[in-house]
Amino acid sequence: MLSTGVVVFEFQYQKQQLTVNRELMLKLQYQIRENLSRADDYAKEKVHNFRNE
């Protein structure tokens, strides 16, 4: 049987991992949005240049 200390430690560890994972997910979402925005700007610029040729 596990002692209470081990269970509490395991719970705290899992809680911390969830926080870390959430932060990483938010950073990843931000980077994806940035990349999509840049790709969108690049595509618009290409279309604009193509129409003006």
Side-chain angles (χ1 to χ4, degrees), residues 24-39:
L24 288 173
M25 197 174 69
L26 290 173
K27 284 180 185 174
L28 187 61
Q29 285 175 345
Y30 175 77
Q31 288 178 338
I32 289 170
R33 269 197 296 273
E34 285 285 300
N35 289 344
L36 287 173
S37 177
R38 278 195 218 118

Side-chain angles (χ1 to χ4, degrees), residues 9-42:
F9 173 77
E10 182 63 27
F11 176 73
Q12 292 288 12
Y13 176 76
Q14 286 179 2
K15 203 167 133 188
Q16 184 182 359
Q17 283 303 109
L18 284 173
T19 302
V20 168
N21 289 347
R22 185 171 182 281
E23 287 176 10
L24 288 173
M25 197 174 69
L26 290 173
K27 284 180 185 174
L28 187 61
Q29 285 175 345
Y30 175 77
Q31 288 178 338
I32 289 170
R33 269 197 296 273
E34 285 285 300
N35 289 344
L36 287 173
S37 177
R38 278 195 218 118
D40 189 45
D41 291 346
Y42 179 76

Side-chain angles (χ1 to χ4, degrees), residues 39-49:
D40 189 45
D41 291 346
Y42 179 76
K44 284 177 184 169
E45 184 184 321
K46 285 288 178 195
V47 168
H48 178 78
N49 291 342

Side-chain angles (χ1 to χ4, degrees), residues 1-14:
M1 180 137 177
L2 291 172
S3 72
T4 309
V6 173
V7 173
V8 169
F9 173 77
E10 182 63 27
F11 176 73
Q12 292 288 12
Y13 176 76
Q14 286 179 2

